[in-house]
Amino acid sequence: MPIVSVQQLSKTYRVADKQPGFVGTVKHFVKRKHRDIEAVRDISFDIQPGEIVGFLGPNGAGKTTAIKMLTGLIHPSAGQVRVLDHEPFKRRADFLRQITLVMGNKQQLLWDLPAMDSLRVNAAVYAIPEDEADRRIKAFASLLELDKELTQPVRKLSLGQRMKCELVAALLHHPKVLFLDEPTLGLDVNAQTAVREFLQQYNAEHGASILLTSHYMADITALCERVVVIDKGTILYDGTLDGVIQRFAPLREVRLDLGAPVADDVLSAYGEIESNDGNQVRLLVQREVLTDTVTRLLGELEVADLTIADPPIEDVIARLFDSGKTTPEATDAAVT
Ligand SMILES: Nc1ncnc2c1ncn2[C@@H]1O[C@H](COP(=O)(O)OP(=O)(O)OP(=O)(O)O)[C@@H](O)[C@H]1O
């Protein structure tokens, strides 16, 4: 049975349509106008126990809105959502005990107190016995390389140290489902790696399910075998990370090691020239003509070595989010 089940979920925000300034305020007071924003439209997906799913989309795609519905912070406008067999918006204690929500741009730790104080409060809230809480804190701190940081006021910590402490606080009650909205936002590369490894370890040890949004593709490639891609509130793709490349990368990169340099005008007959450094050449070739092109290259040029590579996932996702290139037909075909 899925841990998270989302069926035809939608959320429409109703916002005041008010002109700026005093006149606008008075007009709005006399005659109120509203406008609807369809932040999430008819999305459906499941998450299985232990699965780590990357939730990808450009700014304003609807990721945070969906996560807020999954954690019960806001009520859906339509559709159904069940997490651990609970309706999240009922916010039952048994549900809240089993989930956690981490938002990279929000913090739960108290600013002027050491993280350890907040951890003690959390332990009491979740009724974790003191010695058990100590054991958990020690285990997490060791994985995240936290030591004195836990006993310093949070305001004195670096962003990376703070996020590590936030994770300890968010996972102290050993939740089964983790909703992580940009947990590595703004962190340096070392802290990002530490957070990723920690999440991997937690998932492996506790069999927890994770829904993760991140603008850093390194987080996604390190943690997620499956991604759900959302844009303008609707799901464009739900499947393996590799599948994103297969489905949405129309070009492949052909790297050539040539016996002798070849002029650009000759090379351009085979594909788009990415670089031509004497004997080393990189060409971008349409996927559907790849076999023909490689055959021609091997037959017509003096090729010492040839390799074919996929473009970086970052480029593929950026292309996917480029609405001009994502036709509705492509979208329908992409959802599995
Ligand atoms: N409380 C709100 N009231 C009105 N509109 C909102 C509210 N929250 C979000 N929106 C709108 O809903 C749409 C989806 O926003 P949401 O924050 O869910 O996107 P997102 O994918 O999380 O974006 P980002 O990556 O920038 O955080 C946007 O158009 C946003 O302006």
Side-chain angles (χ1 to χ4, degrees), residues 11-15 35-40 55-68 74 105 181-182 213 215 230-233:
K11 177 71 191 178
T12 302
Y13 294 109
R14 171 152 279 214
V15 292
R35 162 171 76 84
D36 287 342
I37 298 174
E38 290 184 280
V40 169
F55 200 26
L56 304 180
N59 292 125
K63 304 179 293 294
T64 305
T65 301
I67 286 181
K68 283 181 177 170
I74 56 173
N105 56 359
D181 196 0
E182 301 283 351
T213 82
H215 279 96
I230 181 171
D231 190 16
K232 300 188 186 76

Side-chain angles (χ1 to χ4, degrees), residues 130-165:
E130 208 170 308
D131 52 345
E132 173 61 15
D134 283 346
R135 206 184 55 72
R136 292 183 189 184
I137 293 169
K138 212 167 148 198
F140 285 158
S142 135
L143 284 173
L144 288 163
E145 293 179 0
L146 288 170
D147 183 18
K148 292 189 188 64
E149 294 81 1
L150 288 173
T151 49
Q152 281 172 19
V154 168
R155 72 184 136 76
K156 292 197 175 164
L157 302 179
S158 72
L159 183 62
Q161 291 165 338
R162 221 156 63 217
M163 181 42 78
K164 288 180 183 180
C165 294

Side-chain angles (χ1 to χ4, degrees), residues 52-56 180 183 199 210-214 219-220 223-224:
I52 308 185
V53 178
F55 200 26
L56 304 180
L180 308 175
L199 293 172
I210 302 180
L211 183 65
L212 166 79
T213 82
S214 177
D219 288 346
I220 305 295
L223 291 167
C224 311

Side-chain angles (χ1 to χ4, degrees), residues 59-118:
N59 292 125
K63 304 179 293 294
T64 305
T65 301
I67 286 181
K68 283 181 177 170
M69 288 190 277
L70 287 165
T71 49
L73 290 177
I74 56 173
H75 210 283
S77 307
Q80 271 123 42
V81 50
R82 288 193 83 78
V83 176
L84 293 154
D85 219 14
H86 283 271
E87 287 175 74
F89 50 86
K90 290 192 175 158
R91 307 278 292 167
R92 296 242 194 276
D94 184 42
F95 164 70
L96 296 175
R97 258 197 299 273
Q98 299 185 73
I99 67 149
T100 200
L101 169 64
V102 175
M103 294 183 134
N105 56 359
K106 297 231 164 60
Q107 61 173 67
Q108 62 157 302
L109 297 173
L110 294 169
W111 190 242
D112 290 313
L113 297 181
M116 191 57 99
D117 291 10
S118 298

Side-chain angles (χ1 to χ4, degrees), residues 17 34 45 107 124 145 150 159 177 195 224 258 276 283 316 336:
D17 204 5
H34 293 95
F45 63 89
Q107 61 173 67
E145 293 179 0
L150 288 173
L159 183 62
V177 189
V195 168
C224 311
L258 297 172
N276 181 3
L283 294 174
V316 179
T336 54

